[in-house]
């Protein structure tokens, strides 16, 4: 009699243990950059790529697909490189930022471990602070396309978790109140909202958007929540930022398209890139 192998390899197999793989990726980054460790990491979602140019001096640039466990981006609007950048703070001190230009999405079919691998790699590289960014559909008509929003909380509606086994993690203050206050010091006009992660890759129906609004969501997208959970498990302090790239189905008068997402990111790019760089310099 044959049995079906488990969909997720066991944690006690060194060849597949996600934390061992993350450690190998961090070692590769250290060799490629000549830097033993980094202080913060940024994951750049749709529309946020320009921030890398404003953070500071680039120490090294690595094709992302060369890092163990990483893959080249499959979505337009993401960058194919990971950079090590020297970020000079207002007080003259310097922080080293690991800037990840793309992410793996759950809908790509590579599994949850692949989705959170960059986060675990950042933790293995010594990172203590993680900034997650994304492009999102807006559920609030008063927040038009091009509006950046701080994540105050999330709804993980993927029915998946990056945690395996009896791993219990408190998510009460997952999105750091301290970092959100710091971000509002940079831009007092920043609002906050609840982000809902859906599995994708299809967009939501108008009925699903009505459901999400009833549940308390303000933005919806296909990333971030699962990564944030893995970051909290790794002990990282997390800041989340969404760029509203379009109004969601049933709210928008026009059909949804990825081209609209890319266009909104390009229009808002200079403002949000400057905002993200200014926040990173204060972390």
């Amino acid at each position: 009699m044959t049995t079906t192998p488990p969909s997720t390899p066991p944690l006690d197999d060194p060849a597949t243990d996600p934390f061992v793989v993350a450690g190998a990726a961090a070692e590769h980054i250290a060799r490629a950059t000549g830097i033993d460790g980094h202080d913060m990491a940024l994951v750049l979602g749709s529309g946020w790529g320009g921030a890398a140019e404003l953070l500071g001096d680039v120490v090294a640039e690595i094709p992302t697909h060369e890092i163990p466990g990483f893959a080249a981006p499959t979505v337009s609007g993401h960058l194919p490189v990971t950079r090590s950048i020297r970020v000079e703070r207002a007080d003259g001190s310097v922080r080293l930022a690991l800037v990840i230009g793309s992410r793996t999405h759950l809908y790509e079919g590579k599994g949850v471990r692949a989705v959170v691998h960059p986060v675990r790699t950042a933790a293995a590289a010594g990172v203590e602070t993680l900034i997650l960014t994304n492009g999102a559909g807006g559920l609030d008509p008063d927040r038009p396309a091009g509006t950046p929003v701080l994540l105050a909380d999330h709804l993980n509606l993927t029915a998946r978790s990056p945690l395996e086994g009896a791993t219990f993690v408190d998510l009460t203050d997952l999105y750091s109140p301290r970092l959100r206050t710091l971000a509002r010091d940079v831009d007092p006009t920043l609002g906050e909202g609840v982000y809902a992660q859906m599995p994708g890759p299809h967009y939501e129906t108008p009925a699903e958007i009505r459901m999400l609004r009833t549940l308390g969501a303000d933005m919806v997208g296909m990333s971030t929540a699962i990564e944030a959970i893995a970051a909290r498990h790794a002990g990282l302090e997390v800041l989340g930022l969404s760029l509203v790239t379009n109004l969601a189905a049933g709210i928008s008068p026009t059909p949804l398209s990825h081209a609209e997402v890319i266009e909104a990111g390009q229009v808002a790019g200079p403002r949000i890139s400057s905002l993200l760089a200014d926040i990173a310099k204060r972390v």
Side-chain angles (χ1 to χ4, degrees):
M1 182 179 69
T2 60
T3 58
T4 303
S7 59
T8 300
L11 280 172
D12 57 2
D13 181 352
T16 58
D17 185 308
F19 302 99
V20 173
V21 177
E27 290 175 3
H28 179 93
I29 291 170
R31 289 193 301 271
T33 62
I35 296 172
D36 291 335
H38 290 77
D39 304 297
M40 74 174 80
L42 297 86
V43 177
L44 302 181
S46 297
W48 297 90
E53 310 297 333
L54 304 176
L55 285 170
D57 296 328
V58 177
V59 177
E61 183 174 283
I62 314 167
T64 298
H65 70 275
E66 294 182 358
I67 306 172
F70 284 68
T74 62
V75 180
S76 299
H78 290 248
L79 304 177
V81 295
T82 293
R83 294 171 174 148
S84 178
I85 298 179
R86 289 170 52 89
V87 179
E88 184 171 347
R89 304 180 70 201
D91 62 5
S93 62
V94 173
R95 297 290 182 268
L96 291 168
L98 186 65
V99 182
I100 303 167
S102 61
R103 56 164 44 101
T104 296
H105 297 81
L106 190 61
Y107 58 72
E108 295 177 46
K110 297 182 176 72
V112 175
R113 287 184 178 181
V115 170
V116 301
H117 177 61
V119 171
R120 288 173 171 159
T121 296
V127 164
E128 296 180 348
T129 304
L130 175 67
I131 302 177
L132 296 169
T133 66
N134 61 57
L139 279 64
D140 183 349
D142 293 331
R143 287 176 173 163
T147 303
V149 184
L150 290 168
L151 271 62
D153 208 339
H154 77 227
L155 296 168
N156 176 15
L157 300 178
T158 66
R160 305 294 297 275
S161 171
L163 309 182
E164 301 171 27
T167 306
F168 307 113
V169 178
D170 178 30
L171 303 179
T172 302
D173 59 350
L174 172 55
Y175 298 98
S176 168
R178 182 185 76 88
L179 294 180
R180 282 151 48 201
T181 298
L182 180 152
R184 286 192 296 271
D185 288 342
V186 173
D187 184 351
T189 69
L190 277 175
E192 294 190 342
V194 174
Y195 175 88
Q197 180 178 353
M198 301 288 277
H202 55 274
Y203 293 114
E204 298 72 34
T205 67
E208 288 170 334
I209 293 302
R210 291 194 297 272
M211 174 193 73
L212 292 174
R213 294 182 72 176
T214 300
L215 292 175
D218 300 287
M219 297 87 67
V220 60
M222 304 171 192
S223 68
T224 305
I226 290 177
E227 295 161 296
I229 296 168
R232 166 50 64 88
H233 177 232
L236 306 186
E237 189 176 18
V238 180
L239 178 69
L241 282 160
S242 285
L243 170 67
V244 176
T245 55
N246 57 277
L247 292 178
I251 300 174
S252 171
T254 59
L256 306 182
S257 71
H258 189 62
E260 181 183 14
V261 172
I262 298 300
E263 181 181 0
Q266 291 172 342
V267 171
R271 178 197 172 192
I272 63 172
S273 295
S274 177
L275 169 66
L276 183 58
D278 288 344
I279 292 172
K281 290 174 183 178
R282 294 198 184 194
V283 169

